[in-house]
Amino acid sequence: MAAALAFALAPACVAAQTPLDERILEIREQSRFMPDKALEQLQKLQPELTAAPSYTRAEFLSQLSATRMRLGQNDVALDTAEQVIALGKSLHDTAIIAKGMLAKTYVLFAQAEVDAAHRLAFEAEKLALTTQDYPLKIQATVTAGQTHAEQGNFPAALVKLQRAVDMARPPAGDPVSLVAALNALAKLYVQMKEYENASETLDELLNETEKLKSPGRMAIAKNTEYGLAIDSGQPKRALRALMQSLDLERKMGAERMVGITLVNLADNYLKDHDYPRAVQYAQESLRSTERTNDDSTAATARINLGQAYIGMGRVAEGKKQYELGLKRYEQENNKPDLQMALIEYGEVLERAGDLAGAISAYHRERAISNELFERRRQQAVLELQEKYEAEKKQRQIEMLSHENQVKGAEIDNRRLQQRVWWLLALVFALAAAVVGLLYRKVRHTNAQLEVKNLELKAQSTLDPLTSLYNRRHFQEFMRSLGPQNRHDDIVGALFLLDVDHFKHINDNYGHAAGDAVLKMIAENLRIALRETDMIVRWGGEEFLAFLPAIPRNGVDEIARRILTTISSQSLRYQEHDISVNVSVGFSPFPLVPGGEPLPWERAVNLVDMALYLAKAHGRNRAYGVRGFENFHLTSMEAIEQDLERAWRSGFVDLSVVLGGDPGTHPTTPTEHTNVVSIKHAAQTKGGH
């Protein structure tokens, strides 16, 4: 986790001024790896603090807070951090205040008070950057960068961590600071799937760490090497790095680090489907984290244990462990890690045959994906708005400058009028010319302003990647749509699409390939549908289409057309042919259960549930809600709670459109045999 890791890797201070400072620095390094022994050493130093300088006392208290936190004594650690802040305020020393705020940040994170920890991390960075303490500046910048990464804001995180590395280089920085910053930057590159940059940073990290002659620092670097190797498809290198790290940690007696490495070993064997070995290492990690009170590592160990149990067929035990781990992720508000864990959870449950559990996991992951997507979209709009405002202010400054020049010219003209009357006509002519120029400039500026307003409006309406409408525009359009009075044979229709196995495309070919796939699907949807149909980038790898008027008996045919149009194409990307399928949920619009039309939001939700039925029942197919039966015996709430159960009980009329194999071409009208009505089958099953 970002805040905890930043503290664990916090750089050492500038060269110590007294023997007491030197001993505190030695203990600080020991605290990272063996906090129990470090606490004993710190307690022995406490009597010497009475006559120590204020900064030495602040450093001592900061290390005492960190050590208590690593031992799971968070209440005492928080109180000690508050003492550092109070000391800094009493001395009006911003460096000591920032040091205390960072110490408090890490304790708040250990207590899963993530929002408060994030806010304090950014405040501490602002304060630290006003000081002359370079190691403190680097520590605060690394913490802020990792906090951005934890929030899913990778561009901001990259800027911070690159800045921290630059600050840590000679002559201003020091070797320990540089190793800490490089380690954080390498981990970020791995998260961003930029493996080439991660590899270059790791090479420098290993080289600089070797110079420190610190087994603990080398163990940390080896764990980072593992993360890069496992994510970039180098399993042998990953296992070798883990074993080297575990050997170093056990020789040092660094129990907290042992727990983390055991988790990574469990994950490594999960990827090889060696479930018994994965269970062994996950259980060893749990025993280790119980001794160190490391709740975050324990959560990851439980997720690995749950995945191994499910892989062995012990589904109930596995789900219990998985949910315990996810609960901690939710407490930490760690959206990126929680999203990845839920994707894996859904896939594991689907392979185990627990389709209801898989659909639930997919829905939870989709909610987080939509939240992160919306946050990134809002950030893009804000950045555009800020750019526009900056340009507007610059134009205003230029206009004011011109106005001042005009005023100065007018004053000079008045003086000239008093001296030479025969130049009056010339002065008037010059003034008229200046006014004319200003008038034309104002007209030009207004035209530019109009263009910028149009650009901003387009940005708020269109998705920047696919140039399709975005979710916000669709929502505003549907709110403005009046009551839909449809004839029996003419209806509207809603189609919601999700790219099948999109994560595998990103993992195997990179995010640039994923973006190219999304663009290709957008183009294919424009081909498959009409110009009058609204096509929307709904979020992430989801698309939505709203067709305002089509024959009722043609809804299934359009679903089939979407499936075959997309699956019949392949994308050529860097010597690879990438075939793509989608799963689709659809329905006519409006839907009228019991004689009362559903609001569009509930209709989209029902189509979303049909989409996940298509996902759970094999992908590359479309599930459509045709209508409702025996509605007086049920309710809309019951149907929305479990669409599949409602269908099997005979309350919902579904149809299934099966997609073709990738690479095939659309069938002719006489070959349309892949649309299946399942209303009567559902009623028969419901009677069992």
Side-chain angles (χ1 to χ4, degrees):
M1 300 293 95
L5 181 60
F7 195 99
L9 303 182
C13 277
V14 185
Q17 301 299 316
T18 69
L20 181 57
D21 289 321
E22 293 174 1
R23 281 180 285 168
I24 291 173
L25 289 180
E26 291 173 2
I27 294 170
R28 177 157 75 175
E29 194 70 7
Q30 183 184 46
S31 173
R32 294 184 181 96
F33 314 120
M34 292 167 286
D36 51 342
K37 295 179 181 178
L39 181 60
E40 294 177 5
Q41 296 299 319
L42 285 170
Q43 289 171 334
K44 291 178 181 178
L45 292 182
Q46 201 153 7
E48 300 181 41
L49 290 176
T50 307
S54 57
Y55 202 88
T56 301
R57 297 202 307 274
E59 182 64 25
F60 173 86
L61 290 171
S62 296
Q63 296 318 308
L64 187 60
S65 174
T67 305
R68 294 284 191 185
M69 179 196 69
R70 292 179 183 123
L71 292 171
Q73 302 169 13
N74 291 326
D75 290 341
V76 182
L78 188 62
D79 181 66
T80 307
E82 293 285 8
Q83 291 180 42
V84 180
I85 296 173
L87 175 62
K89 288 180 177 178
S90 69
L91 299 170
H92 304 289
D93 189 322
T94 53
I96 292 178
I97 296 172
K99 185 179 289 290
M101 291 170 70
L102 285 172
K104 184 177 178 180
T105 295
Y106 309 137
V107 181
L108 288 174
F109 191 88
Q111 293 178 322
E113 297 179 33
V114 180
D115 290 338
H118 287 173
R119 288 193 298 270
L120 193 59
F122 293 134
E123 291 176 18
E125 184 209 17
K126 287 180 181 178
L127 199 59
L129 292 177
T130 65
T131 73
Q132 298 302 312
D133 187 335
Y134 259 81
L136 181 65
K137 288 182 177 182
I138 299 167
Q139 177 184 353
T141 305
V142 169
T143 302
Q146 292 180 308
T147 300
H148 278 305
E150 198 166 80
Q151 294 174 336
N153 189 353
F154 293 140
L158 185 59
V159 170
K160 293 287 185 187
L161 294 181
Q162 286 176 333
R163 185 178 302 161
V165 170
D166 290 339
M167 289 166 53
R169 294 191 189 282
D174 63 273
V176 178
S177 299
L178 181 58
V179 164
L182 286 169
N183 189 74
L185 181 60
K187 283 178 173 288
L188 178 65
Y189 278 134
V190 173
Q191 281 184 281
M192 297 171 67
K193 310 296 183 186
E194 294 188 10
Y195 300 129
E196 185 174 344
N197 287 332
S199 183
E200 291 178 4
T201 307
L202 178 66
D203 288 343
E204 185 179 1
L205 169 64
L206 291 171
N207 183 52
E208 293 296 329
T209 304
E210 185 69 35
K211 297 176 185 177
L212 293 178
K213 306 297 182 183
S214 167
R217 295 286 182 178
M218 183 56 73
I220 291 172
K222 285 295 178 181
N223 268 299
T224 303
E225 181 182 1
Y226 159 75
L228 169 60
I230 201 67
D231 271 28
S232 58
Q234 305 175 66
K236 292 183 179 178
R237 181 185 179 186
L239 185 59
R240 183 171 62 252
L242 278 182
M243 289 303 186
Q244 290 171 344
S245 177
L246 187 62
D247 182 56
L248 289 167
E249 291 156 4
R250 283 180 166 160
K251 286 179 179 177
M252 288 191 302
E255 189 66 39
R256 195 178 188 88
M257 297 176 69
V258 167
I260 295 171
T261 304
L262 289 169
V263 159
N264 290 334
L265 277 167
D267 183 66
N268 185 74
Y269 283 110
L270 276 175
K271 288 178 169 59
D272 288 339
H273 304 293
D274 188 344
Y275 299 123
R277 192 77 67 89
V279 167
Q280 172 195 336
Y281 283 115
Q283 288 176 336
E284 283 187 34
S285 178
L286 280 176
R287 288 192 291 270
S288 176
T289 55
E290 285 174 3
R291 292 190 289 270
T292 60
N293 297 312
D294 187 351
D295 293 333
S296 294
T297 303
T300 308
R302 290 192 184 281
I303 285 176
N304 286 343
L305 184 59
Q307 191 171 340
Y309 279 154
I310 294 171
M312 296 168 69
R314 297 158 63 177
V315 178
E317 291 178 82
K319 290 174 73 172
K320 179 181 178 181
Q321 293 296 331
Y322 229 113
E323 291 295 341
L324 286 171
L326 291 175
K327 183 178 180 181
R328 174 67 187 186
Y329 280 12
E330 289 168 351
Q331 288 175 339
E332 293 175 353
N333 197 30
N334 187 346
K335 291 292 191 340
D337 283 354
L338 181 58
Q339 183 185 13
M340 295 303 298
L342 285 168
I343 290 173
E344 291 183 350
Y345 194 22
E347 292 175 349
V348 168
L349 290 175
E350 185 179 345
R351 288 196 297 269
D354 185 354
L355 299 184
I359 289 174
S360 174
Y362 289 141
H363 274 296
R364 291 161 68 184
E365 183 275 329
R366 181 61 54 219
I368 294 172
S369 175
N370 289 342
E371 180 182 341
L372 293 175
F373 177 82
E374 182 64 17
R375 185 186 298 168
R376 287 192 294 268
R377 188 196 67 77
Q378 290 175 355
Q379 182 66 27
V381 172
L382 285 174
E383 288 173 358
L384 180 65
Q385 182 69 37
E386 288 174 0
K387 180 181 177 183
Y388 166 72
E389 291 294 339
E391 292 175 352
K392 180 179 177 182
K393 288 179 181 177
Q394 183 61 35
R395 289 195 299 272
Q396 290 173 340
I397 291 170
E398 291 174 358
M399 290 182 69
L400 286 172
S401 176
H402 282 296
E403 289 175 3
N404 289 334
Q405 291 175 13
V406 171
K407 289 177 180 178
E410 289 175 353
I411 293 171
D412 291 340
N413 288 337
R414 287 172 189 163
R415 291 174 179 170
L416 288 172
Q417 284 176 358
Q418 295 171 358
R419 295 179 182 180
V420 282
W421 64 269
W422 54 271
L423 290 175
L424 185 61
L426 180 58
V427 169
F428 278 131
L430 289 173
V434 170
V435 170
L437 288 172
L438 287 174
Y439 176 70
R440 285 196 295 272
K441 185 168 184 65
V442 168
R443 289 186 60 186
H444 178 66
T445 301
N446 287 337
Q448 287 184 319
L449 183 61
E450 182 65 25
V451 170
K452 289 296 181 182
N453 285 334
L454 290 173
E455 289 178 0
L456 186 60
K457 183 177 180 181
Q459 286 288 339
S460 66
T461 300
L462 300 179
D463 171 61
L465 177 67
T466 62
S467 297
L468 299 176
Y469 288 117
N470 59 26
R471 181 191 287 239
R472 176 183 176 186
H473 175 76
F474 173 76
Q475 291 169 336
E476 291 176 353
F477 172 80
M478 294 303 285
R479 292 189 191 105
S480 66
L481 202 62
Q484 300 297 291
N485 297 319
R486 300 292 188 188
H487 300 290
D488 287 342
D489 55 340
I490 299 296
V491 296
L494 288 165
F495 295 83
L496 191 61
L497 297 70
D498 186 274
V499 184
D500 293 337
H501 301 298
F502 187 69
K503 178 178 180 293
H504 298 309
I505 295 173
N506 279 334
D507 290 347
N508 293 333
Y509 306 108
H511 287 273
D515 289 346
V517 166
L518 296 177
K519 291 179 183 178
M520 181 190 75
I521 290 175
E523 289 302 316
N524 286 338
L525 287 174
R526 291 188 182 100
I527 294 169
L529 303 176
R530 303 167 299 186
E531 289 186 4
T532 55
D533 299 331
M534 180 179 290
I535 310 173
V536 180
R537 173 91 181 277
W538 193 241
E541 64 269 22
E542 279 193 317
F543 298 84
L544 181 141
F546 174 66
L547 284 59
I550 59 172
R552 181 180 291 274
N553 60 8
V555 179
D556 289 348
E557 168 63 20
I558 291 171
R560 184 200 63 77
R561 189 193 311 160
I562 290 171
L563 290 170
T564 54
T565 300
I566 292 173
S567 65
S568 65
Q569 303 294 322
S570 64
L571 174 69
R572 185 68 176 173
Y573 183 81
Q574 294 182 352
E575 308 302 324
H576 298 285
D577 288 318
I578 304 175
S579 298
V580 182
N581 294 327
V582 296
S583 298
V584 183
F586 66 97
S587 78
F589 182 81
L591 284 168
V592 189
E596 187 69 26
L598 277 181
W600 70 266
E601 295 94 341
R602 297 184 78 174
V604 171
N605 183 56
L606 208 60
V607 168
D608 188 48
M609 297 174 72
L611 164 64
Y612 278 99
L613 280 181
K615 285 276 189 191
H617 287 267
R619 295 183 172 85
N620 190 23
R621 62 193 62 204
Y623 269 54
V625 179
R626 292 176 179 236
F628 306 90
E629 300 287 343
N630 303 316
F631 192 73
H632 62 285
L633 299 177
T634 185
S635 66
M636 202 62 226
E637 289 74 15
I639 292 173
E640 289 174 325
Q641 187 174 4
D642 193 332
L643 179 62
E644 185 167 12
R645 181 185 297 173
W647 156 55
R648 295 187 184 280
S649 300
F651 298 129
V652 178
D653 180 7
L654 294 182
S655 61
V656 178
V657 181
L658 303 177
D661 294 331
T664 62
H665 296 281
T667 57
T668 63
T670 59
E671 296 171 322
H672 295 166
T673 59
N674 58 342
V675 179
V676 183
S677 173
I678 50 179
K679 175 177 69 172
H680 299 297
Q683 291 171 341
T684 303
K685 291 178 181 177
H688 285 180

